[in-house]
Amino acid sequence: MSKAIGVFDSGVGGLTVVKELINQLPQEDIVYFGDIARVPYGIKSRETIIRFSIENMLFLLKQEVKLICVACNTVSSVALPIIQKYFRVPIVGVLSPGAREAVYASQNKKIGVIGTRGTIKSRAYDLEIKQLDPKVKVKAVACPLFVPLAEEGWTQGDVPLKIARTYLAPLKEAGVDTVILGCTHYPLLKPVIKEVMGKNVLLIDSAKQVAIEVKKILAQEGMLNAGARGTQRFYVSDNPEWFGQLAKAFLGREVKNVEKVTL
Ligand code: DGL
């Protein structure tokens, strides 16, 4: 039996990455773990995020996955280098693919990054971008209220618009021509972010690039699945019904086969 791709996130947001993986790798089986019991990670300390990430990795490895995709931007920013040191399985984070695309796309070499407090405080995006092109200027801001807005489905209208205007003002002032949506939830707020930033500013949603990277690694390692359409299994550490309902916004469909597990 061929092995599945493992994906984990602090909660439901990583389903935006699963959606792209299904699009680009329809033959692959996917095992998803959402740490609903301990979400949000974006406000937790580095030590805690590393500990949670190791536990999530161990759970997915027990499911015998062949590659693990860290769909959470906060984990990718704060813990990825550490977990990559401890595990031999290929691990793909969401940070490098998004940073690469932004550096490639930016014309004026001014890039904005938005994410959770943890992601922004880590400065991981800044460092990654500077390594790719030291001339790029990065303006990074945390937008913590975007996560609950996306989960509430409150992605249109005056309230999100006002919040987005306030958060994004420094990016507009800095004159960025490209913005990395550095959080699993932010693709849901794309229309509002676009309205504030203007149509000439490019929004980078790294999920697509992540799926391309996963495909590349599986091809290189000779681990691509051939044959029938893949299946998806969903595990959470709490509240499977809530996860199943929210899946509609993040994955495009509700999911019923969600199992609660204790790590
Ligand atoms: N998944 C997180 C991220 O992409 C957002 C939610 C959280 O704070 O846990 O950074």
Side-chain angles (χ1 to χ4, degrees), residues 25-45:
L25 292 158
Q27 277 123 335
E28 298 295 332
D29 296 325
I30 295 174
V31 180
Y32 183 91
F33 176 71
D35 198 3
I36 301 291
R38 304 189 288 196
V39 70
Y41 283 13
I43 51 163
K44 305 264 181 340
S45 70

Side-chain angles (χ1 to χ4, degrees), residues 182-196:
C183 175
T184 47
H185 289 57
Y186 297 1
L188 273 69
L189 286 142
K190 238 181 189 170
V192 162
I193 298 170
K194 190 96 198 153
E195 187 168 340
V196 174

Side-chain angles (χ1 to χ4, degrees), residues 76-98:
S76 299
S77 300
V78 175
L80 196 66
I82 311 262
I83 53 179
Q84 273 170 333
K85 247 196 251 166
Y86 286 107
F87 295 95
R88 296 229 311 264
V89 64
I91 304 172
V92 178
V94 285
L95 202 126
S96 309

